[in-house]
Structures are given as structure tokens and as C-alpha cells.
Amino acid sequence: MPSLSFSRAVWAVLILGTLSFMGFRIAQLLSYGDPSLLGQQGKELARAFWMGARFDFKMLATGLLVFFVSASLIAAPKFSRKIGGYLQRAMVIALFVAANFAAICQYFYYGFYKTPFTPILFGLYEDDTHGVIAAIWSDYPVVWALLLVLALSWLQMRLTFWWARGSQRGPRLTQFRWWPPAAVLVTLLALGFFARGQLGKFPLRDQDAVVSANPFINDLVRNAWQTLYDAVKDRRQQINLTTNDPTRQLAVYGFRSLEEVAHTLGAKSGNQEDLEAFIFHRTPPNDFVKAHPPHVVFALMESWGAHQLEFDTAQNDLTGALRKHLERDTLFHNFFSAQLGTHPTLEALLLNSPLTPLTQGSYGFMSYPAAAAKPFKEQGYRTLFLYGGSNAWRSIGRVMKHQYFDEVYDMGNIIERYPDAQRNVWGIYDEYLFRFAYDLLQDSEARGEKVFLFLLTTTNHPPHQTPDHYKPLALELSKMAPHFSADAQNAQKMVWTYQYANHQLGLFLDRIDHSALKEKTLVAATGDHNLRALLHYRQPTDSKDLYRVPGYFRVPQAYRPSYKPDPSRYASHRDIFPSLYHLALSDAVYPRFGDNLFAEAPPQNQYAIVAFESLFSREGALLPFVGRHPSAFDWDASQTALTASAAPTPLLQEQGRQARAWLALADWYTRYQVIQGLQRANAQNRGAKVNE
């Protein structure tokens, strides 16, 4: 087996690999971008593709230095030339396959999450891996994608082997006296330069990927290898809490010290006692609530997007039994999810943490003072967590019992009570979960207990299945179909599961309305994130609809405050629990990382945060609002589509400053809680050893 010409093989891999990455960039632009970008921001797109090529050369050069150079060194001596030739070819094949496979995975990942690879990616093995794989197999053209990867890699391989074909007589670098060694030296120097990316103090890095005020254009720059590397790095930073300095990330949010954070938010000072006093507020005394504490239910609905509700009509019935509740109760329309995935959203809601995954390791064994269930627990509530899947998922059966939940129920408990309950890939269908939830409320009412019940559904999730006995309600999709991102068959399945989940929530509310629980049960419901794969979203034009989820509150008349909430107010998940505390608890201490939606708020507080990096308000949007390059956007006349803005309004700028300060405070306090928890655990361990 002759060895490959080193220089020719290297340049072939660099050029063909870059062309491949470029092809997937173009596919991402045409599939997910706004068509107007080509005409209006052509120069910025050109810069994105130029910088993208530099990132491509960087990552491919790194791969060549690590793998192909090593194989070529083995191919240089005569005694190992044959095995070296095989290794060279194997490395070329591996590099092409890895590049194309990563690129096509990021293409579909972007279609679902509307972002390049992020730490959410690691849910593949941290989540229910079987369920994730089943969903991917159901919703994506896996076979065709793999065939495309193999065909493209084969073509690149054949071209490289033809161009770099070597000789049986010896390494090509020894055939001439000066030219081949010079070519090898130049190639090695070029690889070193490309792997660094640029001359100067710093190598090519993520800051260089910002070439535009348009975040979608910036998303085109980094190839799949680079974004995967950045996701691994970000995840390590997110969960690396072993340092004893809880202020280590303040600079990320634009602050040099806790004093600056405190000054921005109006806290007394930046010392720990004053900041904790600022974080923890107290609900006002309420004699009626104290004498008649309500049951409180929080339903976190899988993939419950708000945009789809706009297509709900009597003829195209997407809500079923839920429609009348959405019409007569309180529904916030400009409401946004905390994160883009279920588990990150769960941690943001229940732990007030911007860091995720926080509870997957030893940090899940400690209790957090800022946990959302704690105020209910301290007020004598029986706190229950109910999940439609297995409590082994993300270890929630273990974790939630440390977060002030008395009991954790899952699909095993539901099946035990209802042996005929039907299952899906992710767990139990929603109707059985809501049936179980209603029984828990009734049982607690019979025992004279007040209950806080947090429930998490599973049905409205790929591969989008409904129970065999479910008969879909009337659907007329002609107005919705032009907006479909999925193919007709998969879109139909998604609409059915969306309708089914809505209808089951509505039936649960009906049962409450027709029982003794009617006047004593508060219900809040929202989506963990939008159902992103159903409808097409132009980026960043349609970012609002992409991230919106319903913010629903059922508040019995006796518990409603005199203030009438504004359903068009911009808000997000961070505002739900502060609202529930004020509605249901009297004179209760609670962590305030959001606002009470049933009370007035100053304009600078009326904004929504998504994924702790995007901000939306009536003034426009900041995408992102964290980092060195915040980009401002205005609304069009309909207040639905975003257009680029030269500069943020003073109010939007202040909202961004306030949001960054709150985020910095939450980051600091999460780290502070972990450090304190570890110190307590270490002290207990030392005490146990002394007692031994």
C-alpha cells in the first residue's frame, strides 16, 4: 500500500472539507433564514462565509495535525510504509465522515432548537437515550441523511486518494532533493497557522464569529466541529462549581464586582448578607389566604407553544376542552420559556438557576435555599412532584426530594393505580397523569391537607403518538399548512399530539370546575419550550413566535387581587412562582428572581428572558443581551416580527442592564449555595469520621 503524498493529501482535505462545511452553511441559510437576508444583508453574509471558511480551515487543520500527521510519520520509514499508508487513508476517511456527520447533525439540530450545538446536546445520553433515539428515528430522515454522509465522504475520499496517490518506491518527500521537503515544511507551517486561525495575541475564537448584528448570520459562521467544541467547553464552565469564588462569572454579564450588581439592582450593598436580604422577599399578610389556603397546581406542559394557538378555531380545533379556560381565565400572550429544553427549564423554574445541568451529579444531593417549592413547604403545604415518565430520568426521583418535595410520583405509580394505562416512548399518556393528579388533589382535600402539586407531562414530544382510543377533534389545516416546517405526515402527528395534550389539560380543569375543588384550587400552566419543529421560523425575524409559550393562570374569584393583569405584558417563566406566592401564601418568605404578574411593575421590569441570553419587551429585543456584542431589534407594525435597529431605545437598554444584573445575581447565588452545601457536607463527613 503506497503512502499518500503528504502535502497533496493535506490540501485536498482542507479544500474538500471546507467545501462540505460551506454546503451545509448554504443549506442552513436557505432552510432556516429569512429570504430577505440575501438582498438586504449580502455583505454581512459574505463576511460570515469568509469567517466560516477560516473556522473550517482551523478545525480541519487541527484534525490533520492530530491524526494525519501522526499517520504520515508512521508511513515515512520503509519498514512501516505499508501500515502507514493504510493509516493515512483511514485518517482521511475518518476526518471526512466525522465532518459531514457532525455538519448534518447540526443542520437538523438547528432546525429543532434554532441554535447551533449547545450543552443541551448532551441530553442524548443524560436524557432517556432510548426515547431520544426513537424520536430522531421517527421525525428525521435518518437513513437518507446517513446515505448523504456516506456518499459525500466517499466522493471526497476518492478525490483525495486520486490527487495524493503515492508511489510504491518510497515516500514522495525523498524523490527530489529540495522540493518535496520544502513542500512538507510549508504545509506543516500552513497547518500550524490555520489551526491557530490568525496572527496576533489570540487565536481564532468564538468572539471572531460575531460578524453581524443579526444573530442568525452569526450562527452561520462556526462549523459543527467548532460549535461542538464550544458546547463541551460551555458545559464544563456551567457545571464547574468547585472553585470557592462564586463571583467568577460576573464578568460574563458585564460586571466587575458584586457592588456593581447591587448598585444596578438597588440593593443595599454587595456583601453576602445584604444580597440575600435583597433576594428574599416576603408576601404581604393576607387574612383570607391564611384562613383558606388554596391548593396550588403547576403544570409544565411538554412542547406547549403559544404560536400554534393562533391557528385555533372551531373548525381547526387545537385546544378542545381547554379553549373555554383560555378564554375566561388569565392568559399571558407575550410569555417566554426560561430555556430551550425540558430539563434546563425545570432547573430554571424549580431552582432559580441559570446554570444547567446543576443536579446531575453530587450537587443534586444538596438542598437549595432558593428552591421554588420551599416557601410552600414552610407554609405547611404537602409538596408533590408528578412526572409522566420514569423518575430515573435525570435522577429526578432522587433530586426532587432534596428540593423540598415531600413525595415524587412517576409513571410507575400511575400504572400501579391504573393498570390499563397506555404508555408511549417517554412514559405515560397525559390523560392518565392528569387523572392521577386529580386523585391526589381529592385525596389531600379529604384529609384536610393543602397541596402544592408540580406536574410534568410527556406526550407532546417526538415521536408524537396518541393513545389508540383517542379520536382527534375536528381539524382544518389549510391556513396552518403553508407555515409547516415538517412534512405533511409528521406535521399531522404533531398537531394531533398538540391537540391531545391541550384537550387533556382542559378536561383536568373541567373536573376541578365540577368538584368541591373549584373555589380553592389555583392552577398555573406553561410550556417547557415551544413545539419548534412544526412551523417554519425565519431567524431572527420570527424569534418571538419561536420562543413564546402560553402563560396560563386559573385563579378562583376569592383569590384574585384587585389589580387586573395585562395579558399583553412581556413576561417569562421567572415570573410564575413570584405570582403564585403572592396569590396563595400569606406572609411567606420567597426568592424573588421575577415579578408578580398580578401587580403593577415599572417599565424597566417588564421584559422576558429566554435561555438567559435573549431579551424581549415592548421596546424590541436584544439578541443576545449578554456578551460584548448585544444586537438591538425593533418590532414591525404588528408587534410580531423583528427588524434590525441601529441602537436600542434608552428603555430597552435599561431593561438589558437590569436583566444582566439579575442574571449575574442568580449566577452568583447558585454558586454560593453550592459552595455552602459542599462545606456543610464536608463538615458532616468530618464529624462522622470523628464519631467513628
Side-chain angles (χ1 to χ4, degrees):
M1 172 64 67
S3 61
L4 297 175
S5 167
F6 176 79
S7 298
R8 286 188 171 219
V10 164
W11 288 103
V13 171
L14 287 173
I15 293 170
L16 294 174
T18 297
L19 288 175
S20 178
F21 281 135
M22 283 292 182
F24 283 104
R25 267 190 200 93
I26 294 171
Q28 182 174 318
L29 171 64
L30 297 179
S31 299
Y32 309 125
D34 189 330
S36 65
L37 291 176
L38 294 172
Q40 298 176 1
Q41 295 180 276
K43 291 183 179 179
E44 294 180 14
L45 282 172
R47 285 200 299 270
F49 275 76
W50 165 246
M51 187 59 71
R54 292 176 61 186
F55 272 100
D56 297 344
F57 266 58
K58 172 190 172 182
M59 299 309 293
L60 289 166
T62 302
L64 286 164
L65 284 170
V66 173
F67 299 105
F68 188 73
V69 170
S70 302
S72 298
L73 289 174
I74 296 173
K78 184 176 181 179
F79 68 88
S80 59
R81 189 173 304 145
K82 185 174 182 179
I83 190 172
Y86 281 116
L87 285 174
Q88 282 183 316
R89 286 164 172 76
M91 292 302 104
V92 168
I93 294 170
L95 288 170
F96 282 136
V97 171
N100 295 325
F101 181 75
I104 203 166
C105 286
Q106 176 161 272
Y107 170 80
F108 288 115
Y109 184 94
Y110 199 97
F112 188 79
Y113 288 106
K114 300 302 183 286
T115 177
F117 286 147
T118 63
I120 294 176
L121 174 70
F122 301 103
L124 178 61
Y125 66 86
E126 293 171 342
D127 219 319
D128 180 346
T129 303
H130 170 72
V132 172
I133 293 174
I136 292 172
W137 183 263
S138 170
D139 285 11
Y140 295 95
V142 176
V143 174
W144 286 108
L146 291 176
L147 288 175
L148 175 61
V149 168
L150 293 175
L152 183 57
S153 301
W154 179 86
L155 178 61
Q156 292 168 315
M157 174 198 73
R158 295 302 300 168
L159 288 172
T160 300
F161 291 171
W162 170 77
W163 175 249
R165 60 191 182 278
S167 170
Q168 295 280 7
R169 294 174 294 175
R172 294 179 66 90
L173 59 85
T174 64
Q175 292 180 6
F176 303 96
R177 291 188 177 183
W178 65 272
W179 168 242
V184 170
L185 179 60
V186 169
T187 301
L188 284 171
L189 290 174
L191 283 177
F193 170 74
F194 292 144
R196 181 173 173 79
Q198 60 188 5
L199 299 175
K201 184 176 180 181
F202 297 104
L204 194 67
R205 49 187 179 158
D206 52 359
Q207 287 98 322
D208 298 306
V210 179
V211 298
S212 168
N214 187 318
F216 175 77
I217 293 177
N218 294 333
D219 287 344
L220 295 172
V221 174
R222 295 176 299 158
N223 58 59
W225 281 2
Q226 182 68 52
T227 57
L228 182 60
Y229 170 79
D230 291 339
V232 171
K233 185 175 64 174
D234 290 346
R235 185 175 184 274
R236 286 174 177 171
Q237 291 177 348
Q238 285 177 344
I239 61 176
N240 179 20
L241 308 182
T242 55
T243 175
N244 286 325
D245 180 16
T247 66
R248 64 189 295 264
Q249 288 290 96
L250 293 185
V252 173
Y253 310 111
F255 297 95
R256 290 172 293 182
S257 67
L258 286 174
E259 285 295 336
E260 285 190 3
V261 175
H263 178 75
T264 302
L265 296 175
K268 184 178 179 180
S269 79
N271 67 50
Q272 175 256 320
E273 293 82 4
D274 288 337
L275 286 176
E276 283 199 285
F278 180 77
I279 290 171
F280 288 94
H281 285 230
R282 188 178 290 273
T283 62
N286 186 317
D287 293 337
F288 176 80
V289 167
K290 187 174 181 179
H292 306 89
H295 300 297
V296 179
V297 179
F298 188 136
L300 185 60
M301 303 286 290
E302 173 64 49
S303 300
W304 193 28
H307 185 203
Q308 293 82 359
L309 294 177
E310 297 178 3
F311 298 93
D312 179 51
T313 64
Q315 294 73 36
N316 189 45
D317 193 350
L318 300 180
T319 54
L322 182 61
R323 181 182 295 117
K324 57 183 176 293
H325 299 282
L326 296 178
E327 292 173 347
R328 72 189 182 202
D329 294 327
T330 302
L331 178 65
F332 293 95
H333 303 285
N334 295 318
F335 202 81
F336 295 79
S337 64
Q339 290 277 24
L340 306 181
T342 302
H343 189 257
T345 290
L346 200 62
E347 291 192 329
L349 280 168
L350 294 180
L351 299 178
N352 288 294
S353 171
L355 309 178
T356 188
L358 181 63
T359 57
Q360 293 302 278
S362 59
Y363 305 147
F365 285 98
M366 60 182 66
S367 297
Y368 293 81
K374 187 181 180 185
F376 291 104
K377 178 76 171 174
E378 291 178 338
Q379 290 273 311
Y381 273 74
R382 181 182 173 217
T383 53
L384 310 176
F385 186 97
L386 172 60
Y387 175 46
S390 167
N391 63 16
W393 175 76
R394 301 288 185 140
S395 303
I396 59 169
R398 168 183 59 80
V399 169
M400 292 307 164
K401 288 192 175 179
H402 289 278
Q403 310 314 322
Y404 305 95
F405 283 99
D406 295 315
E407 297 166 60
V408 178
Y409 298 99
D410 73 343
M411 60 184 289
N413 302 100
I414 299 173
I415 293 172
E416 183 180 13
R417 179 169 290 198
Y418 317 120
D420 61 337
Q422 291 189 35
R423 299 176 55 173
N424 56 47
V425 170
W426 293 95
I428 212 77
Y429 284 110
D430 288 357
E431 62 189 86
Y432 305 103
L433 174 132
F434 284 119
R435 184 175 162 190
F436 191 89
Y438 180 78
D439 288 350
L440 288 176
L441 291 173
Q442 288 282 42
D443 293 345
S444 298
E445 176 70 10
R447 290 195 294 266
E449 297 174 331
K450 48 188 178 181
V451 167
F452 167 61
L453 171 60
F454 186 98
L455 59 89
L456 175 61
T457 70
T458 62
T459 301
N460 190 33
H461 191 290
H464 295 288
Q465 299 168 333
T466 54
D468 296 336
H469 58 265
Y470 180 67
K471 299 295 187 289
L473 306 174
L475 289 174
E476 210 295 300
L477 299 175
S478 59
K479 293 184 178 179
M480 199 175 185
H483 301 275
F484 284 158
S485 175
D487 61 76
Q489 182 179 1
N490 278 321
Q492 179 89 59
K493 290 165 60 181
M494 292 181 199
V495 171
W496 280 342
T497 53
Y498 183 83
Q499 177 199 74
Y500 169 83
N502 284 333
H503 187 52
Q504 298 309 317
L505 174 59
L507 293 176
F508 171 67
L509 296 171
D510 285 348
R511 296 188 74 184
I512 291 176
D513 281 352
H514 295 102
S515 72
L517 298 168
K518 177 179 180 180
E519 299 301 330
K520 57 180 72 172
T521 304
L522 275 70
V523 180
T526 188
D528 58 351
H529 51 76
N530 183 22
L531 180 61
R532 294 174 292 258
L534 175 60
L535 303 175
H536 180 71
Y537 298 102
R538 301 164 298 168
Q539 287 287 85
T541 307
D542 300 323
S543 294
K544 177 179 177 179
D545 285 336
L546 171 63
Y547 297 128
R548 279 194 307 132
V549 293
Y552 167 82
F553 288 83
R554 178 196 185 276
V555 185
Q557 183 64 44
Y559 297 91
R560 295 177 191 171
S562 57
Y563 175 81
K564 187 176 181 180
D566 177 6
S568 65
R569 174 175 170 175
Y570 278 77
S572 59
H573 280 170
R574 74 190 193 101
D575 303 307
I576 296 178
F577 273 107
S579 303
L580 291 177
Y581 297 144
H582 280 266
L583 292 169
L585 302 180
S586 171
D587 197 29
V589 175
Y590 71 95
R592 178 183 172 264
F593 287 98
D595 292 296
N596 177 13
L597 297 174
F598 291 81
E600 290 190 60
Q604 64 265 28
N605 286 10
Q606 296 190 32
Y607 57 81
I609 298 174
V610 179
F612 300 107
E613 64 177 15
S614 301
L615 182 146
F616 298 86
S617 80
R618 283 192 174 96
E619 292 294 301
L622 294 173
L623 309 175
F625 72 93
V626 175
R628 297 182 180 181
H629 304 279
S631 300
F633 291 84
D634 293 327
W635 296 114
D636 66 358
S638 67
Q639 280 277 310
T640 57
L642 291 173
T643 59
S645 173
T649 65
L651 179 54
L652 183 60
Q653 199 167 15
E654 176 60 21
Q655 289 171 334
R657 195 170 74 99
Q658 290 289 318
R660 284 193 299 275
W662 274 111
L663 183 52
L665 184 65
D667 185 293
W668 166 79
Y669 194 58
T670 300
R671 296 174 189 275
Y672 174 78
Q673 291 174 94
V674 170
I675 292 169
Q676 293 296 304
L678 291 175
Q679 289 175 351
R680 286 193 299 269
N682 291 336
Q684 291 171 359
N685 290 336
R686 287 194 297 269
K689 290 180 180 179
V690 169
N691 292 333
E692 290 176 359

